[in-house]
Amino acid sequence: ADHPQVYGAAADRPGIAYVDLDREVPAWLVTLVADAASSSDVVLVTPHWGPNMTTAPVPHVLTGSRALAAAGAGIIAGHSAHVFHGVTWDEGTCVLYDMGDFLDDYAVDPHLRNDLGVLWTVHLDGTTPVRVDAMPLRLDVCRTDVAAGSDAAWVEQRLRRACEGLPTVVDRVEQTLQCRAR
């Protein structure tokens, strides 16, 4: 995680594996991913990174995803923003910059619509991620449902905007949005 630093583990206390991604992806993390990739079919890295309530990845998230992909991560599934971001492929690595929320735990921002989310399913061809299905969700207090009507349309439009400029194709197939590399 790149925040909050106060929860970082220390010699005398447990905590998160804090890294200052604004500076760089530390060598120990690159080594961990590379070692896992050398003995695994697919490596999933799930960093808690970037600021809350943003609609796109910040520069250190983009840099971090490239470093993790180069180290051998097959899937990078980021989280922290409480709002889902775009999906892309970086040299065969599937990158979900931010998965958004699956449960409602924040006050709803009427512009960011963090009451709407996505259930992500990554499809592999052997060991290679080839497609991501995104099921639009409607989040409520202690309840998550499949989004319908104008809520589902909002999620689709938001995901298409989030993937603009990325080498990603978004197709609607029934209730699901399918994302794949161009």
Side-chain angles (χ1 to χ4, degrees), residues 1-3 5 17-26 28 60:
D2 67 353
H3 70 282
Q5 185 175 4
Y18 171 78
V19 294
D20 184 357
L21 289 177
D22 277 331
R23 295 169 69 212
E24 66 182 344
V25 175
W28 64 263
H60 75 262

Side-chain angles (χ1 to χ4, degrees), residues 78-97:
H79 55 98
S80 177
H82 301 276
V83 178
F84 62 89
H85 293 180
V87 179
T88 194
W89 278 259
D90 185 350
E91 297 186 31
T93 298
C94 175
V95 181
L96 294 94
Y97 289 112

Side-chain angles (χ1 to χ4, degrees), residues 84-163:
F84 62 89
H85 293 180
V87 179
T88 194
W89 278 259
D90 185 350
E91 297 186 31
T93 298
C94 175
V95 181
L96 294 94
Y97 289 112
D98 200 293
M99 296 182 291
D101 285 347
F102 184 75
L103 296 171
D104 182 21
D105 68 342
Y106 258 54
V108 175
D109 181 296
H111 173 69
L112 296 175
R113 293 298 312 266
N114 53 305
D115 61 326
L116 299 177
V118 176
L119 173 63
W120 304 96
T121 306
V122 179
H123 296 266
L124 305 173
D125 181 5
T127 61
T128 305
V130 293
R131 189 180 88 226
V132 175
D133 289 351
M135 175 65 72
L137 300 176
R138 172 90 170 107
L139 313 177
D140 202 349
V141 178
C142 299
R143 182 182 176 106
T144 300
D145 291 309
V146 174
S150 62
D151 289 340
W154 191 95
V155 170
E156 179 176 357
Q157 184 180 55
R158 167 78 185 95
L159 183 59
R160 288 183 185 282
R161 277 194 322 267
C163 292

